[in-house]
Amino acid sequence: MKRTASVALSGFGVPESLRWHHDALWFCDLAHGTVHRWDGAGEVETIVSVPGRAGGLGWLPDGRMLVVSMDGGCVYRLEPDGRLVEHADLRDIAGGPVNDMLVDPQGRAYVGNFGFDYHAFVRENPNSMLYAPPGPPATPIACLAPDGRLLGVSDPTLFPNGCVITDDCRTIVVAETLAMRLTAFTVQPDGTIADSRTWAPLISPLLWRLVNHPGLPGRVTRRISALLDHPVVAKRSSSPIAPDGIAWDADGTTIWVANALRGECVRVAEGGRVLDRVATSQHTLSCLVAGADGRTLFAATVPTDDPVRAGEINGGRIEMLRL
C-alpha cells in the first residue's frame, strides 16, 4: 500500500529545488523569486529575492550560495554582505528559462534549461502534443567552473532537470523530464560531462515509440494521452513518470523521483524498476531525503506549475514522510 506524506508547510507559489544545508531545509519559490530556509521548528526565513525568478540552488566550497535566475538567463552568487553578483551568463546557451542546478563539492555547477517556452506551449496545448514531430527541442547542460567560467556543455537533452552526483563525483544522473528517463553522464577530468547513457527509463518502450510516431499511431496515441491528462484520471495512473527533481535514497544506490505528472514520489533502481511510491497531496516537483538523521523524505508540491497562476493561488506545499 502506498504511504502518504503529510503537509509541513504551505502558502507558497511554486516551491522547488529542495536542499539540505547547515542542518536546515532550503528551497526556492519559482513563482515569487525567493529563496527560503527552514530549520524544521521555527518560522520559514526568506534569505533573498532573485531577479527573474529563483531556480536551482547550490553552495561553493567557501559557503557562498549560487542561485539560478530562470528568466534572467544567469546564475547569481550571494556575497557575504548580501549582494547578488552575476556568477555566470547562460543567455547564449539556454533555449528557454534556466532551470535546476547541481553544485559539486569542488564548486563546479551543472545547470539545465527548458530549451523552449514550455509554459507558453502547455497553456495552449496538452502535454502530449509536445511529441508531435519534430518533438520538443533538445538543449544542453552547461558545465561551469567554480569561478563561473563556462567549461563546456553536454550532449543535447530533453528538458534537463534535477541532478544527483555519486559519492566519488565521477557520475552525474540527470532527470530528462520530457524524455521520461534518468540519464547518466561521466564527469571528465576537466569537469565537463560526456558518455551519456540511460540510467532508468520511466516510460514503456512501446508507449514511447507510439507517442513519438509521425503517422496515424502517433496521432491517436497523443490524442488518447491528452484525454488521460485529466487530473481525475492522471492521479490514478502509475505510468509514465515524468521526473522533475531527484534525490539519492539513504542507501546511496537508488533514486527518489518527484513525478511531475501526479502527486507522488517514486523510488527507482538503476534500470528503471520501481521499488517504492509515496503519495503526496498535489503534483510533485522536487524531493529530497535528508533531515537530522538523513531518513526523512521531503517533497515540494503544487496545484499547478504555471508560475503566473501559482503565484495567484499560493497553494504550494512542503510535505514530509519519515522513511
Side-chain angles (χ1 to χ4, degrees):
M1 186 175 181
K2 188 186 291 189
R3 293 172 291 171
T4 302
S6 59
V7 176
L9 301 170
S10 60
F12 304 100
V14 181
E16 248 276 26
S17 305
L18 300 178
R19 306 286 189 264
W20 188 260
H21 181 67
H22 286 175
D23 301 319
L25 181 71
W26 295 64
F27 58 95
C28 295
D29 188 330
L30 308 193
H32 298 300
T34 46
V35 178
H36 302 276
R37 178 187 179 276
W38 182 54
D39 64 7
E43 294 294 317
V44 175
E45 179 184 2
T46 299
I47 301 299
V48 67
S49 293
V50 179
R53 295 196 298 134
L57 282 176
W59 286 266
L60 294 169
D62 63 10
R64 289 177 296 172
M65 185 179 75
L66 300 183
V67 57
V68 164
S69 172
M70 299 185 71
D71 296 332
C74 65
V75 177
Y76 283 111
R77 186 179 66 247
L78 183 62
E79 295 295 325
D81 62 5
R83 290 180 300 119
L84 276 177
V85 176
E86 188 172 291
H87 183 73
D89 182 355
L90 302 176
R91 296 172 184 88
D92 292 336
I93 297 171
V98 184
N99 197 21
D100 214 338
M101 173 177 64
L102 166 73
V103 181
D104 75 6
Q106 297 182 52
R108 297 180 300 204
Y110 300 86
V111 193
N113 71 91
F114 286 19
F116 66 108
D117 192 339
Y118 168 80
H119 289 113
F121 182 91
V122 297
R123 286 178 188 129
E124 304 293 334
N125 306 275
N127 264 301
S128 59
M129 294 302 122
L130 284 164
Y131 300 97
T139 191
I141 299 165
C143 309
L144 305 176
D147 63 3
R149 288 178 297 109
L150 180 67
L151 296 172
V153 296
S154 73
D155 292 334
T157 54
L158 288 178
F159 208 110
N161 215 322
C163 304
V164 293
I165 191 167
T166 54
D167 286 341
D168 61 10
C169 294
R170 294 181 179 178
T171 303
I172 285 177
V173 181
V174 179
E176 285 191 81
T177 303
L178 295 185
M180 300 185 194
R181 66 182 172 226
L182 304 183
T183 300
F185 290 87
T186 299
V187 181
Q188 305 295 307
D190 65 356
T192 58
I193 55 177
D195 184 30
S196 64
R197 64 270 186 198
T198 298
W199 195 89
L202 301 174
I203 185 174
S204 75
L206 175 59
L207 181 54
W208 182 245
R209 288 196 300 271
L210 286 173
V211 78
N212 287 281
H213 196 285
L216 180 61
R219 292 194 295 273
V220 171
T221 302
R222 290 188 290 273
R223 183 60 61 87
I224 294 173
S225 295
L227 296 174
L228 296 179
D229 276 347
H230 192 282
V232 174
V233 178
K235 72 179 183 180
R236 289 171 171 78
S237 175
S238 61
S239 178
I241 297 166
D244 196 321
I246 59 176
W248 289 116
D249 182 64
D251 63 17
T253 60
T254 60
I255 292 177
W256 283 95
V257 175
N259 187 356
L261 291 179
R262 57 189 64 88
E264 65 175 2
C265 294
V266 182
R267 184 167 68 95
V268 299
E270 186 172 2
R273 185 163 63 99
V274 174
L275 304 174
D276 204 357
R277 291 180 185 266
V278 170
T280 60
S281 65
Q282 307 176 109
H283 286 199
T284 311
L285 301 186
S286 183
C287 61
L288 177 69
V289 177
D293 63 357
R295 300 197 62 86
T296 297
L297 175 67
F298 295 91
T301 73
V302 293
T304 173
D305 65 358
D306 185 309
V308 176
R309 183 69 179 129
E312 298 168 348
I313 298 172
N314 287 320
R317 299 167 177 166
I318 303 295
E319 306 187 28
M320 299 170 52
L321 176 72
R322 180 78 165 79
L323 297 174

